[in-house]
Amino acid sequence: MTDDSVSSVVERPRAVLEDAGTSYAFGGAVALAAWSEPRATAWVHSAEVLAVFKMLFFRPKDLVDVERMLTVQGERFDRAFVRDALVDMLGEDERISKWDELCERADRA
């Protein structure tokens, strides 16, 4: 049996973000779930975590968004965090090579 309480669900992302020194806030469904009945969506305010979610969804519009985030954020964007998270979750997957491609294209922009 798993512990899917709000605190257990946000513990790993919270620890990773704090260890990286990244400013963050949990809002939306996560905050709502802490004070009432949980719902299915959650917002985490970090460009890197948003990029991880968008790479998991892997829709064309998400790839456009990710490439734009990479271009706009430039060196402030922790690319290693995103790549490591994707590899941890997916192992060998086409999304990893697509992430690398998006990073290369953003470097050329």
Side-chain angles (χ1 to χ4, degrees), residues 82-101:
V82 175
R83 192 175 202 290
D84 291 346
L86 293 172
V87 169
D88 284 349
M89 288 186 266
L90 303 170
E92 292 297 321
D93 187 273
E94 69 178 312
R95 288 170 277 198
I96 307 302
S97 57
K98 185 56 139 180
W99 168 255
D100 293 339
E101 177 188 325

Side-chain angles (χ1 to χ4, degrees), residues 10-107:
V10 300
E11 178 56 31
R12 184 165 189 274
R14 182 204 59 77
V16 170
L17 291 168
E18 286 184 5
D19 289 348
T22 302
S23 298
Y24 70 94
F26 294 104
V30 173
L32 181 63
W35 299 104
S36 66
E37 292 296 315
R39 63 180 197 201
T41 60
W43 293 99
V44 181
H45 301 282
S46 159
E48 290 82 2
V49 172
L50 180 58
V52 170
F53 282 115
K54 287 187 167 288
M55 291 303 295
L56 292 174
F57 286 119
F58 209 56
R59 301 171 298 193
K61 67 181 182 176
D62 294 316
L63 300 178
V64 170
D65 291 345
V66 168
E67 186 172 359
R68 183 72 182 143
M69 281 191 293
L70 286 164
T71 301
V72 170
Q73 292 287 317
E75 292 182 14
R76 295 175 303 199
F77 196 96
D78 187 352
R79 295 175 180 195
F81 171 86
V82 175
R83 192 175 202 290
D84 291 346
L86 293 172
V87 169
D88 284 349
M89 288 186 266
L90 303 170
E92 292 297 321
D93 187 273
E94 69 178 312
R95 288 170 277 198
I96 307 302
S97 57
K98 185 56 139 180
W99 168 255
D100 293 339
E101 177 188 325
L102 292 173
C103 289
E104 290 172 12
R105 287 186 1 205
D107 287 342

